[in-house]
Amino acid sequence: MNPAPTNGAGVIINASSPTKDSLDFSECLAAFLSQHKVPTVLLIECSTAADAATSTNQLQPVCTSSTTHLSLTQPLNTDAAFSAAVTLLNLPSSHLAVIQLGDKDNLKNAGVDSPPFQGLDQVLHLSPENNSIRQLFSLVLLHISSVMKRAYSSLVCIGYSMKQARQKALTEQNMLPFLPVDGTFFLPVDLEAIAQPFQEGESEGNRPMVTIAEEMVDVFLHKATDFFEDGNEKNKKNETEKEETNTAASMATASGSVPQYRPELKFILDKLHSSGCCIIDPLENLEKVIDRVQMADALDAACKAARKLALPVRAPAWHLIEHKFSPDILRTASTASKVSLPCVVKPQVACGIEESHQMAFVLHPSGLHSDLEVPLPALLQEYVDHNSTVWKVYVAGNQVFSVQKRSTPDLQPLRDFLASHVSSGEVVGNGGEEEEDLGIPTSIEFNSLESLPTSLPWLRRLIDSSDAGTTTLAPVPPAALMHPGFLTQLAQVFRKHLGLTLFGFDVVFDYAAGEAVVLDLNFFPSFRGIPEAPVALRTTLLEIYKTHKESMLFI
């Protein structure tokens, strides 16, 4: 069970007038603080009943946590309401972050030496007029973080950047606590907002936010594959400079070629690296999880190293298809790369773009046809029958976790059926369309992220048909192999060869060969289903930070 977070800071958001901009920003900020259970008071100065009603209607719904409170006051009573807010939060003044919102004229008359802010040096004055909510939000979180770091001098700030959906999922798993836990706290870093210049009211001597972030962030945790450039947008910009044929060729290449990182990611990483921040993990170490060709080579090398330690494991055979799909490719793949049917076709780009998850099972040579909707270049990869069971392994530094899950079914029976019936001229289904017979397609397209085919109707029909004969279920894998100890040993070898801190990989058991096969590799996985993951992440990052900090002493 995770330890309860300490009261790292309390926040008072004081809006001098409930304008649309100030209410929108207060709503956004309060929602985040409420989700992270940061003690917060929204103190809104309302001159009219209409202002009070508008403020209540917009802000009360985001005060969903017992730690978030809405307080409405008249301008003349602000001092008393502010004192009541401080009393309600029940924290030392050094632990309070005050956000003063108002228009430019009001802010000119507001200062840390004027009531109700006397005695507080953690006041941030902002005007929502000329800056985006994202920029305001980023600056406020940096401000609150600075209050926490001053209050707790040994705190380690872990900045992180990833897409919103991933951030939401990890927050729900308690993996990104904003309040201090175990000597750390996690600060969301909006790359685009921090990289851009701030227009009005920036704190701490009008320094750029990126400069404040450089001083604030000790460890930077990123999901870099969430920040690839949009290939379609790049092509749109080039349309006026290229002939139609060249543009079409460029767009075709964009879906299959390895994408480039967005410039703001590189900018922030360079800035943080130059300030001595510990980056998890360096971009150059991620190439092997982005490009499936590099991934295949890396898995093969790591598995060979594991076999030297008497760990029975291998990587699947594969063959690169560069320009077009054709049944003839299978003959080359079989001879040159030892890839035979059944097999799976995967785009060379492993992540970061929508098309990277568009795949296909190929059960017969005719299934590798020109209309196959898998982006090129693509890998033709050996498919290993594994009794519909996969072990998903999650690695956080020296800590290794695994979960056994249901996977895709064995395909050899379908391949054998098609091999005998297609050669005799019997008609089978095409691309999954059901015919009067079993309707078995020669290839099965799917999206591995949205609709992984853990069951196939054709396989069930085949098993039930007289043509299939009797089927014997595969035995349980030997207890001496597919157990946590084996997977931990494997993960340790992989970590050494891959140079990654946070990664995951998928392992299946090849019943025919009696060995494990590592199918896939990814950086900074979800750790879904691992209750120990929040503590493991924090302890891992702390250990790496301490090692990094010690190494910096000798530079």
Side-chain angles (χ1 to χ4, degrees):
M1 191 172 178
N2 295 333
T6 60
N7 288 329
V11 179
I12 298 176
I13 305 170
N14 178 209
S16 59
S17 59
T19 64
K20 182 180 186 306
D21 288 336
S22 65
L23 288 179
D24 287 347
F25 173 65
S26 298
E27 179 183 18
C28 173
L29 181 58
F32 175 87
L33 297 174
S34 178
Q35 182 183 32
H36 287 269
K37 295 181 172 51
V38 178
T40 304
V41 175
L42 290 162
L43 180 58
I44 312 298
E45 300 177 27
C46 300
S47 301
T48 66
D51 286 346
T54 300
S55 301
T56 300
N57 290 338
Q58 183 161 352
L59 298 179
Q60 193 63 59
V62 298
C63 297
T64 56
S65 168
S66 59
T67 59
T68 309
H69 310 275
L70 176 61
S71 175
L72 305 181
T73 185
Q74 293 181 338
L76 293 178
N77 298 330
T78 300
D79 291 5
F82 185 88
S83 297
V86 172
T87 301
L88 178 63
L89 293 178
N90 192 29
L91 289 169
S93 61
S94 61
H95 290 55
L96 293 179
V98 180
I99 316 302
Q100 170 69 15
L101 302 177
D103 60 34
K104 286 188 243 182
D105 292 335
N106 285 340
L107 292 182
K108 286 177 184 177
N109 300 320
V112 295
D113 295 326
S114 62
F117 308 116
Q118 288 174 336
L120 292 173
D121 62 354
Q122 294 89 229
V123 181
L124 176 66
H125 300 286
L126 289 177
S127 172
E129 293 177 354
N130 301 311
N131 297 285
S132 70
I133 285 183
R134 288 173 60 180
Q135 286 185 299
L136 292 168
F137 184 80
S138 294
L139 184 57
V140 167
L141 293 190
L142 285 169
H143 176 68
I144 298 171
S145 298
S146 70
V147 170
M148 290 195 292
K149 290 201 78 170
R150 284 198 294 264
Y152 303 94
S153 58
S154 60
L155 268 183
V156 175
C157 175
I158 302 170
Y160 64 89
S161 291
M162 60 192 69
K163 63 184 180 182
Q164 284 295 320
R166 196 182 313 279
Q167 178 178 324
K168 182 176 183 293
L170 291 175
T171 298
E172 290 172 352
Q173 294 172 244
N174 298 316
M175 292 188 68
L176 304 172
F178 183 60
L179 285 179
V181 184
D182 296 338
T184 68
F185 71 98
F186 288 75
L187 169 68
V189 176
D190 186 327
L191 299 180
E192 186 175 341
I194 286 183
Q196 291 178 354
F198 203 83
Q199 299 300 321
E200 292 281 350
E202 190 159 346
S203 69
E204 302 191 38
N206 288 323
R207 294 183 303 154
M209 277 196 285
V210 68
T211 303
I212 305 173
E214 287 179 71
E215 298 174 359
M216 190 67 53
V217 178
D218 301 302
V219 180
F220 186 64
L221 179 64
H222 63 83
K223 183 74 172 180
T225 52
D226 286 346
F227 299 104
F228 286 135
E229 288 188 323
D230 188 333
N232 290 330
E233 288 300 316
K234 289 179 70 177
N235 283 320
K236 286 178 184 178
K237 293 178 183 178
N238 291 335
E239 277 180 358
T240 58
E241 303 173 10
K242 295 183 178 181
E243 294 292 332
E244 240 178 47
T245 54
N246 291 338
T247 303
S250 175
M251 295 186 70
T253 304
S255 64
S257 60
V258 176
Q260 300 297 309
Y261 295 113
R262 283 162 47 184
E264 55 264 34
L265 174 65
K266 295 180 179 179
F267 172 74
I268 296 296
L269 287 180
D270 287 344
K271 287 285 188 180
L272 292 176
H273 177 72
S274 64
S275 69
C277 179
C278 179
I279 308 296
I280 307 295
D281 277 313
L283 292 184
E284 58 267 24
N285 291 6
L286 303 188
E287 293 177 358
K288 57 185 72 70
V289 301
I290 298 170
D291 184 338
R292 284 195 171 97
V293 170
Q294 294 193 46
M295 183 191 300
D297 288 337
L299 289 178
D300 187 56
C303 287
K304 286 178 179 176
R307 293 185 80 89
K308 291 180 180 179
L309 300 176
L311 299 176
V313 62
R314 67 178 175 85
W318 60 277
H319 182 81
L320 179 63
I321 304 174
E322 297 188 73
H323 304 298
K324 66 176 182 177
F325 296 116
S326 167
D328 295 336
I329 291 175
L330 284 165
R331 284 194 289 271
T332 304
S334 177
T335 303
S337 308
K338 309 300 181 186
V339 179
S340 58
L341 295 173
C343 56
V344 57
V345 184
K346 302 178 178 181
Q348 182 177 349
V349 180
C351 55
I353 60 172
E354 185 177 348
E355 297 91 341
S356 63
H357 302 286
Q358 191 61 39
M359 305 180 184
F361 295 138
V362 179
L363 307 173
H364 185 272
S366 62
L368 200 64
H369 51 78
S370 59
D371 294 331
L372 201 64
E373 293 187 2
V374 178
L376 289 165
L379 266 68
L380 193 66
Q381 189 181 80
E382 169 193 8
Y383 185 86
V384 178
D385 279 358
H386 53 283
N387 199 31
S388 299
T389 304
V390 63
W391 283 261
K392 302 190 80 66
V393 183
Y394 302 102
V395 184
N398 293 320
Q399 302 181 72
V400 181
F401 309 95
S402 60
V403 177
Q404 186 175 330
K405 292 189 175 183
R406 181 174 173 80
S407 179
T408 53
D410 294 350
L411 299 180
Q412 192 66 37
L414 294 175
R415 179 265 177 199
D416 292 345
F417 179 86
L418 289 173
S420 61
H421 287 71
V422 170
S423 61
S424 64
E426 196 167 320
V427 177
V428 295
N430 182 16
E433 296 180 6
E434 296 196 15
E435 307 288 346
E436 292 182 0
D437 58 4
L438 293 176
I440 300 174
T442 55
S443 61
I444 302 169
E445 297 179 9
F446 63 95
N447 185 298
S448 62
L449 196 63
E450 299 175 357
S451 57
L452 188 69
T454 55
S455 64
L456 298 174
W458 312 284
L459 186 59
R460 185 72 263 168
R461 292 183 214 143
L462 182 60
I463 292 173
D464 292 340
S465 73
S466 58
D467 293 276
T470 59
T471 301
T472 304
L473 292 176
V476 176
L481 185 58
M482 303 300 285
H483 63 87
F486 167 77
L487 297 174
T488 296
Q489 285 181 284
L490 198 56
Q492 291 169 345
V493 174
F494 274 43
R495 185 188 177 199
K496 178 180 178 181
H497 278 75
L498 299 173
L500 297 175
T501 304
L502 303 172
F503 65 99
F505 57 94
D506 294 346
V507 189
V508 299
F509 185 71
D510 183 347
Y511 293 91
E515 61 188 0
V517 183
V518 180
L519 301 179
D520 203 5
L521 175 68
N522 61 89
F523 170 66
F524 194 179
S526 67
F527 290 91
R528 190 175 294 110
I530 308 296
E532 306 91 342
V535 175
L537 180 62
R538 292 194 295 271
T539 55
T540 294
L541 297 180
L542 266 180
E543 290 171 1
I544 292 175
Y545 171 67
K546 289 176 182 177
T547 301
H548 174 78
K549 192 174 181 181
E550 290 171 0
S551 69
M552 294 293 290
L553 296 176
F554 301 98
I555 297 178

